[in-house]
């Protein structure tokens, strides 16, 4: 998880999902970049890194397999894109789902649905090959989403709008 606003970014739903999994014997750990929380009585280890310098974020991400930001409200989750660029499997809500293709290069879960998050995490845990495949697809997609490509796409949209206004 990466983010500062634990409510808006949906951290509580990820904590609930991981707690459920921890009681079933699935051994996961949670690393939190940014936010700090109180975490007594959890069934899994939590590593809180606090604020990480921008030039060290990729180094931290590369130590993990999944980035889960079950956000309730977010324009563009930059942390999700950064995680994808490091080969992490993204899990998020429809709020940020335009960043990838569901079930191919990441996973979309319904808002406030800890059960759906738990199901995906458990499936990835039990199939490391599939997790690696989705992570590779996420990275490949992120590599194509450059600022240069963004500018090119935006220019094409403007060109089409202007062309459609001509008599």
């Amino acid at each position: 998880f990466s983010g500062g606003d634990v409510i808006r970014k949906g951290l509580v739903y990820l904590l609930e999902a991981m707690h459920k999994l921890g009681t079933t014997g699935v051994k996961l750990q949670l690393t939190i970049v940014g936010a700090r929380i109180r975490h007594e009585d959890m069934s899994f280890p939590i590593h809180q890194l606090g604020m990480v310098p921008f030039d060290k974020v990729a180094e931290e991400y590369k130590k993990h397999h999944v980035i889960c930001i079950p956000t309730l409200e977010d324009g563009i989750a930059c942390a999700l894109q950064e995680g994808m660029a490091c080969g992490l499997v993204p899990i998020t809500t429809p709020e940020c789902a335009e960043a990838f293709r569901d079930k191919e290069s990441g996973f979309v879960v319904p808002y406030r649905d800890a059960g759906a998050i738990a199901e995906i995490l458990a499936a990835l845990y039990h199939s490391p090959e599939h997790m690696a495949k989705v992570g590779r697809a996420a990275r490949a997609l992120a590599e194509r989403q450059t600022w240069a490509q963004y500018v090119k796409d935006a220019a094409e949209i403007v060109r089409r709008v202007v062309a459609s206004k001509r008599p």
Side-chain angles (χ1 to χ4, degrees):
F1 178 87
S2 182
D5 185 337
V6 298
I7 295 171
R8 189 170 59 89
K9 298 285 187 172
L11 179 58
V12 66
Y13 307 106
L14 175 56
L15 291 170
E16 183 182 337
M18 290 192 61
H19 184 68
K20 285 180 183 180
L21 288 173
T23 63
T24 66
V26 173
K27 303 287 185 202
L28 300 175
Q29 74 173 30
L30 174 63
T31 300
I32 301 175
V33 175
R36 290 211 172 266
I37 62 165
R38 296 178 74 180
H39 58 88
E40 299 82 24
D41 301 323
M42 289 294 179
S43 59
F44 58 92
I46 298 178
H47 303 283
Q48 299 190 75
L49 301 179
M51 297 307 293
V52 174
F54 185 73
D55 62 336
K56 301 287 184 201
V57 171
E59 182 180 316
E60 289 301 328
Y61 283 172
K62 289 178 182 178
K63 297 175 185 175
H64 299 83
H65 303 285
V66 172
I67 184 161
C68 183
I69 305 177
T71 188
L72 302 176
E73 178 183 295
D74 215 335
I76 298 173
C78 291
L80 206 64
Q81 294 283 347
E82 293 164 354
M84 290 170 61
C86 293
L88 303 185
V89 174
I91 301 172
T92 193
T93 59
E95 191 73 20
C96 293
E98 74 281 349
F100 56 84
R101 290 181 193 89
D102 189 27
K103 298 179 182 67
E104 290 179 25
S105 50
F107 297 92
V108 180
V109 294
Y111 295 103
R112 298 178 175 90
D113 193 339
I117 296 168
E119 284 179 28
I120 292 168
L121 289 173
L124 293 172
Y125 175 83
H126 292 296
S127 181
E129 304 84 21
H130 183 62
M131 181 168 43
K133 178 182 174 186
V134 176
R136 286 190 302 272
R139 180 180 173 117
L141 186 58
E143 287 174 350
R144 292 191 303 271
Q145 295 173 339
T146 64
W147 280 112
Q149 186 62 47
Y150 176 82
V151 169
K152 182 179 173 185
D153 293 346
E156 177 60 21
I157 290 169
V158 169
R159 186 194 64 70
R160 280 189 271 153
V161 168
V162 169
S164 71
K165 302 288 183 191
R166 292 188 180 145

